[in-house]
């Protein structure tokens, strides 16, 4: 599903590469944690998979397509196959939970009728049934992140990328979000999550890839934070 | 649905930043007005050249001591010249009669000139008035020829004035256009900034580039169109107040400016306004909304 081959990424003006000759393969339906200290390069992986940055060397394959060689006008269609969740939720403050999720559908050309059918369903799935018409500021952090997950999942993407999704949440709420991601993973969606939350990694017992100074130092099938 | 979304985004965008929008529209209107005015002057000068150049002639004045042979040789040469359309001989008497009628209201001038004092001449109409210089060179040294005078010189002065007015209008139009461009660029940046969250989400979920950019580009296009209509309004007011009003006397000298010609400027100005503003908006977005 995801293949990184000898990927090196050095940001302009950086003294050393964020990712240095990284090779890793992720199968369809896997749940993978990328862990490591701040600045280790783990967030760069998410950016590479989204084609927000391109590697200096090496190749990135997602769903059988070479992302590195992708023409820029093909990127939007490519991103529709990928859902994405961030630490800061990235919700639109002047739209309700329902409207936030519907917005993601409407801007890729889905009709309002489709949104009316699909959005309540996905909000129910993430456990926000009955709170569709609340604005982000009327929701707790955990609930806002659920809206973000609903928005990422509403297109039934093949891959869900999560960049420190529990970074702004308390431990109990974090565990609820993880349960949600686990459920999404069980529908067959590949989940790639970047985190430095050791509790969560230890509880989930999923594949753990540890990165330090841009290199993979550990790749364990049922790992702990270590 | 998508069209409705885009249009409502355009209206919200223009209204959110209304002072900037107004500034953009005004500069656009003035710039396009100047452009339209210079376009009108251009067509006007072209018309006038066509109108007057047909009527003007080259006068070849003859020396008083010219012999009959020289005169008929000259006339023959002129009549067989392919550059010459027609030749009219004006004798001393005819010149005097013409002079008398021209200055009939200034008897002192008429009295000062006696019959026979005015030179005889050939009045020559040219096939192509631009060939004056060649005609002059062909005849200036001929026996019996005194002076060759082209009435065009006088008209040329008028056209030069109109030409510099046109150049001035074009320069002003360009300067205003630069100001309008900068304002469009700035307005689009402000609009893109105020919608940065929406744009970020749209990029994230894979909205197509045209869908992200269309509202911004259309905002600029709408402003450009309004500017063009206002600029055209200025042009129409200019025609009514100046050409049909206070400059009426001058208008008689100039060839008349029909409403049809003024109307043609509207689509031209609208085209210039929309193309310039949409290209500017699009280029701004290329830098500002990198995918």
């Amino acid at each position: 599903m995801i293949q990184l081959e000898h990927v090196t990424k050095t940001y302009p003006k950086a003294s050393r590469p964020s990712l240095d000759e990284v090779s890793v393969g992720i199968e369809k339906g896997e749940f993978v944690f990328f862990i490591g200290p701040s600045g280790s390069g783990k967030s760069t992986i998410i950016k590479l998979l989204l084609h927000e940055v391109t590697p200096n060397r090496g190749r990135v394959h997602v769903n059988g397509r070479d992302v590195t060689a992708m023409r820029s006008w093909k990127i939007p269609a490519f991103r529709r196959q990928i859902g994405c969740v961030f630490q800061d939720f990235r919700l639109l403050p002047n739209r309700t939970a329902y409207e936030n999720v519907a917005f993601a559908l409407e801007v890729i050309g889905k009709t309002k009728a489709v949104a009316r059918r699909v959005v309540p369903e996905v909000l129910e799935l993430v456990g926000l049934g009955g709170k569709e018409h609340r604005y982000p500021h009327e929701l707790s952090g955990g609930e806002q992140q659920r809206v973000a997950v609903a928005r990422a999942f509403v297109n039934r993407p093949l891959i869900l990328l999560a960049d420190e999704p529990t970074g702004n949440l308390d431990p109990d709420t974090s565990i609820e979000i993880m349960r949600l991601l686990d459920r999404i993973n069980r529908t067959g969606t590949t989940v790639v999550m970047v985190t430095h939350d050791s509790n969560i990694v230890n509880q989930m017992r999923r594949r753990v890839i540890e990165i330090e100074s841009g290199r993979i130092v550990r790749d364990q099938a049922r790992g702990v934070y270590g | 649905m998508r069209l409705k979304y885009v249009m409502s985004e355009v209206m919200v965008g223009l209204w959110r930043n209304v002072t900037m929008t107004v500034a953009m529209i005004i500069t656009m209107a003035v710039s396009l007005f100047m452009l339209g005015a210079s376009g009108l002057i251009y067509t006007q000068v072209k018309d006038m050249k066509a109108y007057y150049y047909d009527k003007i002639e080259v006068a070849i004045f003859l020396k008083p001591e010219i012999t009959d042979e020289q005169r008929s040789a000259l006339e023959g040469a002129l009549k067989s010249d392919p550059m010459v359309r027609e030749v009219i001989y004006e004798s001393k008497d005819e010149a005097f009669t013409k002079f008398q009628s021209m200055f009939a209201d200034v008897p002192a001038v008429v009295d000062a000139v006696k019959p026979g004092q005015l030179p005889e001449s050939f009045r020559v109409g040219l096939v192509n008035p631009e060939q004056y210089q060649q005609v002059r060179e062909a005849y200036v040294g001929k026996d019996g020829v005194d002076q060759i005078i082209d009435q065009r010189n006088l008209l040329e002065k008028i056209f030069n004035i109109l030409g510099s007015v046109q150049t001035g209008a074009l320069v002003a139009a360009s300067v205003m256009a630069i100001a309008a461009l900068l304002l469009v660029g700035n307005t689009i940046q402000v609009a893109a900034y105020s919608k940065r969250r929406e744009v970020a989400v749209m990029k994230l979920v894979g909205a197509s580039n045209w869908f992200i950019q269309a509202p911004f580009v259309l905002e600029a296009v709408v402003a450009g169109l309004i500017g063009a209509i206002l600029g055209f309004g200025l042009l129409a007011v200019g025609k009514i107040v100046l050409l049909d009003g206070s400059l009426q006397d001058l208008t008689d000298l100039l060839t008349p400016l029909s409403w049809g010609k003024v109307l043609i400027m509207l689509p031209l100005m609208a085209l210039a306004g929309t193309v310039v503003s949409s290209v500017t908006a699009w280029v701004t977005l290329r830098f500002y909304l990198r995918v």
Side-chain angles (χ1 to χ4, degrees):
Chain A
M1 187 99 255
I2 297 171
Q3 284 288 337
L4 270 64
E5 292 165 20
H6 307 287
V7 170
T8 299
K9 174 64 192 176
T10 310
Y11 288 104
K13 291 178 190 159
S15 55
R16 56 171 193 79
S18 295
L19 289 178
D20 193 2
E21 284 279 319
V22 168
S23 294
V24 68
I26 296 168
E27 297 301 316
K28 185 170 174 13
E30 267 196 281
F31 194 123
V32 183
F33 287 112
F34 279 94
I35 63 169
S38 299
S40 58
K42 52 194 195 312
S43 291
T44 302
I45 289 181
I46 299 265
K47 289 188 178 134
L48 282 170
L49 295 178
L50 277 174
H51 200 291
E52 269 183 30
V53 298
T54 46
N56 302 88
R57 279 200 305 281
R59 302 232 153 257
V60 179
H61 289 271
V62 176
N63 194 25
R65 287 160 77 185
D66 187 345
V67 180
T68 26
M70 193 178 288
R71 312 284 291 172
S72 64
W73 61 269
K74 282 189 169 172
I75 294 170
F78 164 74
R79 284 193 185 150
R80 291 176 196 186
Q81 306 171 350
I82 300 175
C84 212
V85 185
F86 298 92
Q87 181 174 5
D88 55 1
F89 319 139
R90 303 203 183 167
L91 299 177
L92 303 175
N94 52 349
R95 289 173 201 256
T96 64
Y98 177 93
E99 287 164 352
N100 262 285
V101 180
F103 181 76
L105 285 175
E106 284 163 19
V107 298
I108 61 169
K110 299 275 164 54
T111 62
K112 281 215 157 61
V114 169
R116 269 196 294 276
R117 184 161 48 77
V118 178
V119 177
E121 207 176 286
V122 77
L123 284 173
E124 192 68 48
L125 176 85
V126 300
L128 284 176
K131 294 182 176 172
E132 293 93 338
H133 300 298
R134 304 250 184 116
Y135 286 90
H137 64 90
E138 299 169 330
L139 295 168
S140 71
E143 286 167 336
Q144 289 183 47
Q145 192 60 294
R146 283 166 195 270
V147 178
V149 171
R151 182 179 66 193
F153 190 60
V154 70
N155 278 321
R156 310 283 154 164
L158 300 165
I159 301 167
L160 185 74
L161 304 177
D163 193 353
E164 310 229 19
T166 60
N168 275 347
L169 304 176
D170 62 63
D172 289 347
T173 317
S174 297
I175 285 169
E176 283 170 27
I177 292 293
M178 289 317 295
R179 286 211 185 101
L180 179 56
L181 293 183
D182 190 44
R183 265 169 66 200
I184 284 172
N185 176 235
R186 282 173 205 279
T187 65
T189 305
T190 311
V191 178
V192 176
M193 175 166 159
V194 167
T195 187
H196 49 226
D197 189 333
S198 53
N199 269 338
I200 279 170
V201 177
N202 292 342
Q203 278 198 3
M204 296 288 287
R205 288 290 177 142
R206 297 299 191 109
R207 184 178 172 189
V208 172
I209 300 170
E210 187 174 349
I211 298 184
E212 226 178 87
S213 306
R215 290 169 180 276
I216 292 179
V217 293
R218 177 161 67 108
D219 186 347
Q220 244 179 329
R222 290 173 62 79
V224 291
Y225 200 84
Chain B
M1 196 293 296
R2 300 187 95 192
L3 189 73
K4 220 174 95 189
Y5 164 82
V6 170
M7 285 325 287
S8 77
E9 285 298 296
V10 168
M11 286 310 142
V12 169
L14 284 172
W15 191 247
R16 176 171 30 217
N17 198 9
V18 68
T19 46
M20 197 79 109
T21 307
V22 169
M24 180 164 78
I25 288 173
I26 290 175
T27 38
M28 198 78 91
V30 174
S31 167
L32 290 171
F33 163 65
M34 297 286 186
L35 185 74
S38 84
L40 280 181
I41 294 172
Y42 176 77
T43 56
Q44 207 51 18
V45 167
K46 232 170 78 179
D47 280 2
M48 283 176 67
K49 279 186 177 168
Y51 178 78
Y52 280 111
Y53 280 4
D54 264 0
K55 296 196 163 35
I56 60 171
E57 45 199 20
V58 176
I60 302 180
F61 290 101
L62 307 178
K63 286 182 178 153
E65 64 274 14
I66 189 168
T67 64
D68 288 345
E69 292 92 75
Q70 284 172 340
R71 190 184 300 115
S72 54
L74 200 58
E75 185 166 13
L78 280 168
K79 280 194 168 146
S80 59
D81 193 320
M83 292 189 287
V84 172
R85 184 164 42 81
E86 59 171 347
V87 184
I88 297 164
Y89 172 72
E90 194 179 284
S91 69
K92 289 182 177 176
D93 292 340
E94 281 165 345
F96 183 70
T97 321
K98 214 170 164 186
F99 182 81
Q100 273 182 317
S101 67
M102 251 165 121
F103 293 94
D105 47 352
V106 198
V109 176
V110 180
D111 291 344
V113 178
K114 290 182 179 60
Q117 275 186 333
L118 292 171
E120 53 187 322
S121 62
F122 285 112
R123 302 282 158 159
V124 179
L126 299 185
V127 175
N128 175 8
E130 310 280 334
Q131 284 177 329
Y132 161 71
Q133 208 54 41
Q134 282 143 273
V135 174
R136 183 189 162 81
E137 270 156 33
Y139 297 96
V140 74
K142 288 257 162 98
D143 291 333
V145 172
D146 188 14
Q147 279 189 63
I148 301 182
I149 290 173
D150 182 16
Q151 295 177 333
R152 237 166 59 114
N153 287 344
L154 187 75
L155 281 171
E156 216 99 278
K157 276 181 195 151
I158 299 175
F159 292 147
N160 281 343
I161 293 168
L162 286 175
S164 35
V165 172
Q166 186 203 353
T167 312
L170 263 185
V171 168
S174 325
V175 173
M176 292 304 286
I178 291 170
L181 284 188
L182 294 175
L183 277 172
V184 170
N186 194 288
T187 311
I188 295 305
Q189 276 186 32
V190 171
Y193 182 78
S194 67
K195 293 212 321 186
R196 64 197 180 284
R197 286 198 190 90
E198 278 83 354
V199 168
V201 170
M202 283 194 269
K203 279 200 223 172
L204 194 65
V205 300
S208 59
N209 290 338
W210 82 262
F211 187 79
I212 297 176
Q213 294 174 357
F216 298 112
V217 173
L218 276 178
E219 239 181 89
V221 166
V222 168
L225 267 181
I226 298 176
I229 291 167
L230 286 182
F232 178 75
L234 286 177
L235 213 56
V237 168
K239 173 173 160 56
I240 294 166
V241 172
L242 286 180
L243 289 186
D244 300 347
S246 53
L247 294 179
Q248 183 75 55
D249 294 344
L250 197 64
T251 320
D252 295 338
L253 181 74
L254 309 175
T255 51
L257 178 61
S258 67
W259 275 108
K261 278 184 196 151
V262 181
L263 264 175
I264 284 175
M265 290 297 143
L266 179 61
L268 286 180
M269 289 159 72
L271 191 73
T274 50
V275 167
V276 164
S277 52
S278 58
V279 167
T280 314
W282 186 72
V283 170
T284 311
L285 290 171
R286 295 288 297 177
F287 287 102
Y288 208 76
L289 298 181
R290 279 188 184 284
V291 185

